Every structure is written in structure tokens, then in C-alpha cells.
């Protein structure tokens, strides 16, 4: 097949959709609130009830905030499932949906973070739906357009941004799956045993 005949938009969407449908989404089913908030190490960054964090920055508009610092600590803080989902939902998806696809403005500071696992997964599904619809509506021609001043590299193409976002999603959501495995194998009550 000639590269000019390839449906680049479909190909880029499938990069994410195949991974999501066949590897990731099923691994998130049944995520419990205990897993969502579980901290495998002391002082891990998390999503917490407002006023309960000791992180340098507690960002968020609702009853829960996400731990943060500017500049970030060295070494980087370990982050929980709740934190990683918050990062993906807001920093990876919602902010880009707002910048490029007409979704409401979103930032770490203004987001209403989920206070439980089910609500976080609902937010994730919603933002993914907006993202994929936006990418689909770009068509092949829209993938060639520059991302513009709302991104750190304004001259990069929308195709570059799509590839970057998909790498971020695969990377961080795979980390979430690994943390679920760690929780299952280190928490006696997680695998049916009693403490």
C-alpha cells in the first residue's frame, strides 16, 4: 500500500484503541477505593481530602486535591493509582481536549478530582471519548496542522501530539496496572486472605 493511500488518522487512533480495548481497560475493571488510594511507600503523592495533604502544593477545586510541587522534588515523588489517574485525566487528556477540541478549560488547579475509584474511571472514560472524537474529526489533513502556542512545541504537528498523548496513556495506565498487581500480591486482604 502506498503511504499516500494509508488512512493515517485511523492508524493513529488504532494505536491507542487496540491497546485500550485489548490490554488496558479490562485491567482497570473492579478497581477498589482501597487500591485507588493505596500508598505502597511513605509520603507517596496521592489524591486526598482537601486539607489533609502535606505536599507543597494541593491542587484542585473540589473536596479532593492532588499532591504537587513546583519545582518537583528530586528524586521524583512516588505516586499512587489515584494520582496517576488524576494526571492522565487532567494533564494528559482534559487540558488537551480543552486546548484543541473545544472542551471546557481544565487544569490541575481547577479540576474536581474523583473521591473514589469508580468516579475516576468515569472521568477517564469521558475524557478518552472526547479525545478520540477530537482526533477522529481532525481527519488526515488536520493531523498535518501545527499544534500552535497552547503546546510547548508549537511547530509540532497534531500527529506528533497524538502520538505523544498515546505514549503517555499507555505508559501511565500500564503503571496503574502494575500497581494493581503489586497491591494484589502485597495486601493480604486483597487476595481473599484475612489479616
Amino acid at each position: 500500500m502506498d503511504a499516500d493511500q494509508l488512512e493515517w488518522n485511523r492508524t493513529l487512533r488504532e494505536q491507542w484503541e487496540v491497546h485500550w480495548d485489548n490490554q488496558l481497560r479490562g485491567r482497570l475493571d473492579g478497581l477498589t477505593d482501597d487500591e485507588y488510594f493505596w500508598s505502597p511507600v511513605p509520603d507517596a503523592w496521592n489524591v486526598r481530602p482537601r486539607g489533609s495533604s502535606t505536599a507543597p502544593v494541593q491542587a484542585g477545586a473540589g473536596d479532593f486535591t492532588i499532591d504537587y510541587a513546583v519545582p518537583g522534588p528530586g528524586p521524583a515523588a512516588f505516586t499512587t493509582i489515584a494520582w496517576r489517574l488524576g494526571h492522565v485525566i487532567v494533564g494528559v487528556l482534559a487540558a488537551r481536549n480543552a486546548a484543541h477540541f473545544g472542551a471546557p478549560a481544565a487544569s490541575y488547579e481547577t479540576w474536581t478530582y474523583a473521591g473514589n475509584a469508580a468516579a475516576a474511571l468515569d472521568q477517564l472514560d469521558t475524557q478518552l471519548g472526547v479525545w478520540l472524537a477530537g482526533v477522529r474529526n481532525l481527519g488526515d489533513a488536520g493531523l498535518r496542522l501545527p499544534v500552535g502556542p497552547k503546546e510547548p512545541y508549537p511547530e509540532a504537528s497534531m500527529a506528533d501530539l497524538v502520538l505523544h498523548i498515546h505514549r503517555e496513556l499507555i505508559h501511565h495506565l500500564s503503571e496503574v496496572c502494575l500497581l494493581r498487581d503489586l497491591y494484589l500480591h502485597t495486601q493480604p486482604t486483597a487476595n481473599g486472605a484475612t489479616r
Side-chain angles (χ1 to χ4, degrees), residues 13 24 35 41 55-56 72 81 84 92-93 116 129 138 153 159 161 163-164 173 179 187:
R13 281 184 288 111
L24 281 174
E35 290 174 280
V41 299
I81 290 174
R84 290 165 200 246
V92 175
L93 290 169
N116 62 63
L138 288 171
Y153 301 99
L161 179 65
L163 287 168
H164 170 69
L173 293 174
L179 282 172
Q187 303 302 302

Side-chain angles (χ1 to χ4, degrees), residues 110-124:
T110 63
W111 193 258
T112 301
Y113 292 91
N116 62 63
L121 293 178
D122 285 346
Q123 288 181 346
L124 177 62

Side-chain angles (χ1 to χ4, degrees), residues 3 23 43 52 61 97 122 124 128 132 153 171:
Q23 294 175 327
D43 301 319
S52 66
N97 288 337
D122 285 346
L124 177 62
L128 281 169
L132 289 171
Y153 301 99
H171 166 82

Side-chain angles (χ1 to χ4, degrees), residues 32-165:
T32 67
D33 293 347
D34 285 343
E35 290 174 280
Y36 179 66
F37 291 116
W38 177 60
S39 180
V41 299
D43 301 319
W45 280 0
N46 210 336
V47 170
R48 304 175 195 278
R50 181 171 294 285
S52 66
S53 175
T54 59
V57 175
Q58 301 100 52
D63 292 336
F64 287 80
T65 60
I66 195 166
D67 297 338
Y68 219 77
V70 178
F78 191 90
T79 57
T80 65
I81 290 174
W83 193 97
R84 290 165 200 246
L85 287 177
H87 169 63
V88 166
I89 292 163
V90 180
V92 175
L93 290 169
R96 271 32 184 271
N97 288 337
H100 301 287
F101 302 132
S107 70
Y108 289 113
E109 296 78 17
T110 63
W111 193 258
T112 301
Y113 292 91
N116 62 63
L121 293 178
D122 285 346
Q123 288 181 346
L124 177 62
D125 287 335
T126 297
Q127 292 305 316
L128 281 169
V130 173
W131 171 256
L132 289 171
V135 171
R136 184 177 295 107
N137 289 335
L138 288 171
D140 286 350
L143 291 172
R144 293 182 185 92
L145 297 174
V147 294
K150 294 181 180 177
E151 296 292 338
Y153 301 99
E155 70 285 349
S157 70
M158 284 299 293
D160 292 324
L161 179 65
V162 170
L163 287 168
H164 170 69
I165 296 303

